[in-house]
């Protein structure tokens, strides 16, 4: 057995308290909740420009928010400045955080009368105490601050308080909405949101106030749904927990490495993926990265993959994955049976989100082909599934994407319509069998924009294999497009599924070597909140699964027969929806899921353009077909 890896820098423990472990594949307990902090200082009695007071506009907007939240979603309401004409301790919890009672929240806000000062820092501190503790769960605990001015009390300083809460509070985000603010007041609210792992939303009028509050609250409710068994990665290889095939939950901080041990045989392919899930839209740098690597012993690095956000608009889920693929001759060091170490590393630039990120890990094992079975040839070319391939047309059917890999919505061939928030990532899955390839377009809708908009955001998509490997588009496809409210489209797809693809070198081909559910993520950039007039933006997916499905991975396997679109849409009708276990015997044991997309940002003539997502993957040695 190989020796332990060298000692790495020590890191802090797993996210939150370590509670009872959920079985692999079961949902993690969810402690997501929301507390709205409403400015009730004297300035909220001013006219909002329509003949109503700012407080009247705020009451209406809060009503719109609670009407759109899910039933029973834990929601509270805190106000400041509502009790006394002056007072820097004037902050009060009107509704505790408990299962949503829409009428009670509306009644509470209806009784608020603006009077006093603006103790934002103290109100943030108290709001964090209002939220239930994380209790080992991986939910999102949101403070939603609505203010028309800056703090005039000074102690505690709001931005410093937000930074402290953002670092110390597991799963905490602070979103701020500035209602008719500018100058120092806006700067302070922007600072609070950035330091608190959240986003700032600008609301110059009552209509935009309602829109921005809806966006921020819905992001809290539509959080990523985690699944897996709790595990705590070690700071050194010699203390790494041993992982069996399955799905796991951990957390990772800036600059931290997490070590996990796995025992591998000499013949099976072993797949590993790590999905980091920061708060949507939290501050990130273009080159912030998530790296996964697999090592055998102290000196033998087998494979490494690095994924970057490649944009500065705000965080989205990010997945990095590696595979140990034994060479046919089995003569390399990394072909040996024994103990290996999976290492997950997070790189963050100064000023990026400092919170610990939940981490979802999947370890799967693919059995070798049965003795005497000859696999079909690899499929390294897109062929009929390239960029110019025809995709379905016609009227779209409504669908609602999932929050992550674990609740991704299954799609068949056809045209599908959804709606997406700025900073949000939606998830779908498409079954594809041996010999088939997924080909799809994503179209972001023509939407009404706010007046005098001149900025650009981006739309992005990523395709993942059943083992959660990101499949890049190479020179054939690009995974991002600029978005400014005008129609924008992205084309994406995979090569055909072939067992022997695992021996190909290109990152667009090698991962596409097992049939099953392929995952599609669709992301809208955070800056779209400054562009679109509607709270959500329309998105259309045109999905194809091309090619006959073969009965197994072996050479000469018979076709299973073509299915109509209606048949393909029915869950369970296609063998591709089952675990991979063709007649060749190449099964995959693990729990599949899907992850994030990013974009490379280039500044040209003063405009922000979004280019294709960059992947860096290296393998020290590889087998040949």
């Amino acid at each position: 057995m190989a020796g332990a890896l060298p000692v790495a820098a020590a890191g802090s423990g797993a996210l939150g308290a370590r509670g009872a472990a959920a079985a692999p594949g079961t949902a993690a307990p969810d402690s997501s909740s929301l507390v709205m902090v409403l400015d009730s200082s004297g300035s909220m009695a001013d006219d909002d420009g329509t003949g109503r007071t700012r407080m009247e506009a705020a009451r209406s907007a809060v009503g719109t928010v609670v009407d759109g939240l899910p039933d029973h979603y834990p929601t509270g309401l805190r106000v400041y400045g509502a009790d006394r004409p002056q007072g820097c301790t004037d902050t009060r919890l009107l509704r505790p955080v408990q299962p949503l009672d829409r009428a009670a929240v509306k009644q509470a806000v209806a009784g608020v009368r603006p009077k006093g000062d603006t103790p934002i820092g103290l109100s943030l501190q108290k709001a964090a105490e209002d939220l239930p503790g994380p209790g080992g769960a991986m939910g999102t605990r949101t403070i939603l601050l609505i203010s028309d001015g800056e703090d005039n009390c000074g102690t505690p300083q709001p931005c410093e308080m937000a930074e402290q809460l953002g670092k110390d509070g597991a799963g905490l985000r602070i979103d701020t909405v500035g209602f008719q603010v500018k100058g120092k007041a806006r700067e302070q609210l922007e600072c609070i949101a950035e330091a608190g792992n959240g986003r700032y939303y600008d609301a110059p009028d009552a209509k935009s106030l309602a829109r921005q509050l809806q966006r921020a609250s819905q992001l809290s409710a539509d959080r990523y749904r985690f699944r897996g068994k709790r595990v705590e990665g070690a700071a050194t290889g010699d203390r790494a927990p041993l992982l069996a095939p399955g799905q796991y939950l951990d957390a990772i901080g800036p600059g931290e490495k997490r070590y996990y041990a796995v025992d591998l045989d000499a013949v099976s392919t072993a797949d590993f993926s790590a999905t980091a899930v920061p708060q949507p839209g939290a501050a990130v740098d273009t080159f912030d990265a998530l790296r996964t690597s697999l090592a055998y012993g102290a000196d033998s690095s087998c494979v490494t993959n690095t994924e970057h956000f490649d944009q500065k608009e705000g965080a989205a889920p990010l997945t990095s994955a590696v595979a140990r693929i034994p060479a046919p001759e089995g003569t390399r060091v990394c072909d040996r049976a024994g103990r290996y170490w999976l290492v997950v590393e997070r790189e963050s630039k100064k000023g990026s989100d400092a919170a610990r990120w939940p981490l979802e890990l999947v370890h799967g094992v693919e059995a070798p082909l049965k003795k005497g079975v000859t696999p079909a040839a690899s499929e390294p070319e897109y062929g009929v599934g390239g960029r110019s391939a025809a995709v379905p047309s016609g009227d779209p059917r409504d669908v609602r994407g999932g929050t992550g890999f674990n609740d991704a919505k299954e799609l068949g061939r056809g045209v599908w319509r959804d709606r997406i928030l700025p900073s949000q990532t939606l998830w779908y899955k498409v079954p594809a069998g041996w010999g088939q390839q997924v080909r799809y377009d994503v179209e972001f809708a023509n939407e009404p924009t706010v007046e005098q908009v001149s900025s650009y955001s981006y739309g992005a998509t990523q395709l993942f294999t059943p083992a959660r490997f990101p499949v890049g588009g190479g020179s054939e496809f690009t995974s991002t497009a600029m978005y400014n409210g005008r129609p924008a489209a992205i084309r994406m797809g995979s090569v055909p599924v072939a067992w022997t693809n695992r021996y190909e070198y290109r990152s667009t081909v090698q991962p596409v070597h097992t049939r099953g559910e392929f995952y599609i993520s669709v992301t809208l950039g955070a800056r779209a909140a400054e562009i679109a007039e509607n709270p959500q933006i329309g998105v259309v997916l045109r999905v194809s699964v091309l090619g006959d499905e073969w009965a197994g991975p072996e050479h000469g396997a018979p076709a299973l027969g073509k299915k109509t679109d209606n048949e393909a849409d029915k869950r369970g009708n296609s063998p591709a929806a089952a675990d991979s276990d063709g007649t060749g015997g190449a099964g995959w044991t693990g729990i599949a899921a899907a992850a994030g997309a990013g974009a490379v940002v280039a500044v040209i003539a003063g405009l922000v353009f979004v280019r294709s997502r960059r992947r860096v993957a290296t393998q020290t040695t590889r087998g040949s077909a």
Side-chain angles (χ1 to χ4, degrees):
M1 184 176 294
L5 287 174
V7 174
S12 57
L15 181 73
R18 298 184 65 188
T26 61
D30 192 350
S31 63
S32 295
S33 55
L34 167 70
V35 60
M36 290 179 280
V37 179
L38 178 61
D39 184 348
S40 302
S41 61
S43 58
M44 288 292 284
D46 294 346
D47 193 306
D48 72 348
T50 67
R52 298 195 307 172
T53 66
R54 291 176 180 176
M55 179 55 68
E56 288 175 314
R59 290 192 191 106
S60 177
V62 169
T64 302
V65 166
V66 297
D67 284 342
L69 287 172
D71 291 342
H72 312 300
Y73 187 66
T75 304
L77 175 66
R78 172 174 286 276
V79 298
Y80 59 82
D83 285 343
R84 298 183 298 275
Q86 292 182 334
C88 284
T89 60
D90 185 8
T91 178
R92 181 161 54 100
L93 184 64
L94 292 187
R95 288 290 303 171
V97 179
Q98 57 189 24
L100 178 62
D101 183 334
R102 294 183 174 88
V105 174
K106 292 177 183 179
Q107 184 178 1
V109 77
V112 175
R113 298 293 181 266
K115 295 179 181 179
D117 288 314
T118 312
I120 293 177
L122 179 62
S123 296
L124 292 175
Q125 182 181 27
K126 294 297 184 181
E129 297 170 1
D130 298 335
L131 292 166
M138 290 192 165
T140 297
R141 302 158 62 237
T142 303
I143 298 172
L144 177 51
L145 170 66
I146 307 106
S147 179
D148 74 341
E150 63 182 308
D151 183 288
N152 66 353
C153 291
T155 303
Q157 204 281 331
C159 201
E160 292 177 0
M161 175 54 65
E163 183 176 14
Q164 177 184 330
L165 294 173
K167 289 180 179 179
D168 298 341
L172 182 73
R173 69 177 286 133
I174 304 173
D175 288 326
T176 61
V177 179
F179 186 24
Q180 298 184 332
V181 300
K182 57 184 178 180
K184 290 184 178 180
R186 175 168 176 162
E187 291 174 5
Q188 184 177 78
L189 293 172
E190 288 175 333
C191 179
I192 291 169
E194 182 174 353
N197 314 321
R199 295 293 303 182
Y200 169 76
Y201 296 88
D202 192 49
D205 52 45
K207 185 177 180 180
S208 60
L209 176 64
R211 174 175 66 242
Q212 302 294 36
L213 284 178
Q214 287 180 70
R215 286 169 172 165
S217 60
Q218 202 62 47
L219 274 181
S220 171
D222 289 346
R223 67 278 182 199
Y224 189 105
R225 268 58 162 191
F226 293 94
R227 297 179 72 88
K229 179 180 179 181
R230 292 301 302 263
V231 66
E232 187 170 347
T236 59
D238 58 336
R239 297 183 179 181
L242 181 63
L243 303 185
Q247 186 160 316
Y248 300 88
L249 300 176
D250 200 357
I252 191 166
E256 190 172 291
K257 287 185 179 181
R258 309 293 276 174
Y259 288 78
Y260 312 88
V262 290
D263 288 337
L264 305 181
D265 63 28
V267 293
S268 300
T269 294
D271 301 315
F272 305 92
S273 74
T275 300
V277 188
Q279 293 295 335
V284 293
D285 184 83
T286 299
F287 299 107
D288 286 354
L290 186 69
R291 178 177 297 110
T292 51
S293 58
L294 188 68
Y296 180 81
D299 302 316
S300 299
S301 177
C302 302
V303 61
T304 298
N305 172 244
T306 302
E307 298 288 337
H308 298 91
F309 287 104
D310 289 335
Q311 49 83 21
K312 293 184 177 181
E313 281 193 38
L318 188 64
T319 296
S320 177
V322 291
R324 194 291 299 265
I325 302 173
E329 61 275 10
T331 57
R332 306 172 307 177
V333 171
C334 293
D335 295 334
R336 299 174 184 173
R339 179 149 297 180
Y340 289 72
W341 281 268
L342 171 66
V343 185
V344 182
E345 183 178 3
R346 174 182 163 190
E347 293 183 354
S348 297
K349 302 296 182 183
K350 184 178 180 181
S352 295
D353 180 17
R356 294 178 62 74
W357 292 348
L359 197 63
E360 194 168 71
L361 306 168
V362 172
H363 168 26
V365 175
E366 301 175 47
L369 294 175
K370 294 177 181 177
K371 188 175 181 180
V373 172
T374 301
S378 62
E379 297 277 1
E381 304 300 330
Y382 289 99
V384 298
R387 181 178 176 84
S388 61
V391 292
S393 59
D395 294 334
R397 286 171 282 178
D398 289 332
V399 69
R400 188 57 191 156
T403 66
F405 284 109
N406 305 301
D407 62 354
K409 178 65 176 179
E410 184 167 326
L411 303 179
R413 301 172 179 88
V415 185
W416 308 91
R417 177 175 54 208
D418 207 341
R419 299 194 70 80
I420 190 170
L421 294 163
S423 299
Q424 189 173 40
T425 300
L426 298 176
W427 302 81
Y428 313 88
K429 58 186 177 183
V430 180
W434 298 112
Q436 293 185 311
Q437 60 191 129
V438 177
R439 170 71 177 83
Y440 68 97
D441 286 0
V442 177
E443 300 168 2
F444 294 90
N446 186 22
E447 292 278 352
T449 60
V450 300
E451 293 182 4
Q452 299 179 339
V453 63
S454 59
S455 61
Y456 281 81
S457 186
Y458 73 92
T461 187
Q462 185 55 267
L463 181 64
F464 300 85
T465 71
R468 297 191 179 187
F469 278 68
V471 178
S475 59
E476 188 76 12
F477 300 106
T478 51
S479 61
T480 60
M482 291 185 300
Y483 185 68
N484 67 346
R486 303 295 185 187
I490 309 172
R491 297 178 174 87
M492 183 55 68
S494 73
V495 298
V497 179
W499 193 90
T500 319
N501 281 353
R502 70 192 64 217
Y503 297 127
E504 295 287 341
Y505 181 75
R506 298 201 305 274
S507 63
T508 55
V509 180
Q510 187 186 68
V512 190
H513 60 246
T514 305
R515 74 172 186 177
E517 291 173 333
F518 283 69
Y519 295 85
I520 295 170
S521 70
V522 177
T523 299
L524 181 64
R527 198 174 292 132
E530 304 170 12
I531 298 170
E533 187 175 274
N534 293 323
Q536 296 175 305
I537 288 83
V539 61
V540 170
L541 290 88
R542 303 180 185 275
V543 179
S544 293
V545 180
L546 304 175
D548 292 338
E549 182 179 359
W550 303 102
E554 69 272 17
H555 176 72
L560 292 175
K562 296 182 178 179
K563 293 179 173 58
T564 67
D565 284 353
N566 287 338
E567 289 175 326
D569 290 345
K570 295 178 182 177
R571 182 172 178 83
N573 248 17
S574 170
D579 288 339
S580 177
D581 190 17
T583 58
W588 187 79
T589 303
I591 303 170
V600 176
V601 177
V603 179
I604 303 175
L607 297 178
V608 178
F609 289 80
V610 186
R611 295 181 179 172
S612 60
R613 190 166 186 255
R614 183 176 62 185
R615 175 171 296 100
V616 180
T618 59
Q619 186 163 334
T620 54
T621 56
R622 66 181 181 91
S624 56

